[in-house]
Amino acid sequence: MTTIFPVEKQCAHCGRHSEHIVIGSTNTFGSPDLDTRPPEMMRSTIPHWVQRCPHCGYCNSDLDHLLPTAGQVMSSEAYRDQLVERTLPTLANSFLCLSIILAAQGEFTRAGWSSLHAAWVCDDERAAQGALHCRQRAASLFQEALASGQMIARQADASDALLVDVLRRSLQFPLALSLCEDGLRKHSDEIIKGVLTFQKLLIQRQDSGCYTVAQALGNA
Ligand SMILES: [Zn+2]
């Protein structure tokens, strides 16, 4: 089961206080999605993965901590606009604002993950265009991360499998196929190969839907 509780946080940017929900514990049962999104009950804890200061709009996974570029980025038009972007769910905007701060300080991997989290929020809210936008941003940031030598997953083969899924689900089929075929040539892990083989079929069908790892491996 999931346990959550309210805590008062002091915003590291403006110094003012607000109440937020933090996760005490949670669990997962079942298979993650191909982009690693966890199954329930952890899946439903996503509203508590990012905190937004109601006074100044600072967004971070923990408002107590100040990201070095926050002050500069938060005064930008891009950040202020993102906070109140009406075409996206508020929670997705919070994840994207965090992503903007992280990208500004060169943390492309974490920025990519925050954008992917925003996409998951859009999926849940059936905001298809929003999800597409967030995944395109995530794919671009993950590519930037890899180009600058940052890992986006613990292993290189898992990194490739993740990026293939984000590219496929953001309709970038030719690039997804190229990376998928490259991964199939390079990697020997049986699970990764099974996932990439399944991805290749989806890409060839131009299927941008959500599938689990268990479905990819024929266990669902
Ligand atoms: Zn604040």
Side-chain angles (χ1 to χ4, degrees):
M1 65 178 284
T2 293
T3 56
I4 55 172
F5 52 91
V7 291
E8 187 171 293
K9 292 273 177 178
Q10 183 175 18
C11 174
H13 179 254
C14 74
R16 295 169 80 179
H17 293 261
S18 54
E19 192 173 271
H20 299 271
I21 301 292
V22 298
I23 304 160
S25 64
T26 188
N27 67 316
T28 57
F29 183 76
S31 173
D33 296 344
L34 287 171
D35 63 4
T36 78
R37 185 174 186 187
E40 295 297 357
M41 297 176 66
M42 187 189 286
R43 195 177 186 91
S44 294
T45 64
I46 194 168
H48 314 307
W49 298 0
V50 64
Q51 296 167 359
R52 177 196 290 221
C53 174
H55 307 291
C56 71
Y58 177 47
C59 295
N60 196 359
S61 53
D62 185 348
L63 277 186
D64 287 345
H65 292 98
L66 188 63
L67 293 162
T69 55
Q72 188 186 349
V73 173
M74 285 172 63
S75 60
S76 70
E77 199 174 329
Y79 189 94
R80 306 311 303 179
D81 286 352
Q82 191 66 66
L83 269 179
V84 294
E85 174 54 56
R86 289 165 62 182
T87 60
L88 294 174
T90 301
L91 180 58
N93 281 330
S94 297
F95 278 120
L96 289 175
C97 281
L98 172 56
S99 175
I100 291 171
I101 299 174
L102 291 166
Q105 57 195 49
E107 292 197 53
F108 302 120
T109 293
R110 286 178 66 200
W113 278 106
S114 202
S115 290
L116 188 55
H117 295 161
W120 295 350
V121 172
C122 292
D123 291 341
D124 290 344
E125 298 291 324
R126 309 223 183 285
Q129 281 304 314
L132 182 62
H133 164 73
C134 295
R135 277 197 176 81
Q136 285 172 344
R137 178 179 165 83
S140 165
L141 286 162
F142 283 149
Q143 287 168 295
E144 206 159 348
L146 293 171
S148 60
Q150 298 173 19
M151 294 288 282
I152 62 171
R154 287 210 185 106
Q155 309 285 341
D157 53 4
S159 288
D160 286 347
L162 171 65
L163 186 52
V164 166
D165 193 70
V166 179
L167 288 167
R168 176 183 65 81
R169 295 200 61 195
S170 58
L171 309 178
Q172 299 180 70
F173 296 116
L175 194 52
L177 183 62
S178 164
L179 185 64
C180 187
E181 289 180 331
D182 192 40
L184 279 167
R185 277 192 296 272
K186 277 193 309 193
H187 304 308
S188 56
D189 182 275
E190 286 304 319
I191 291 174
I192 295 290
K193 282 173 72 178
V195 164
L196 290 176
T197 301
F198 183 73
Q199 288 279 13
K200 190 173 173 180
L201 287 172
L202 295 177
I203 295 164
Q204 286 167 337
R205 294 205 304 249
Q206 303 215 332
D207 182 340
S208 63
C210 176
Y211 294 90
T212 65
V213 173
Q215 285 173 311
L217 301 177
N219 300 323

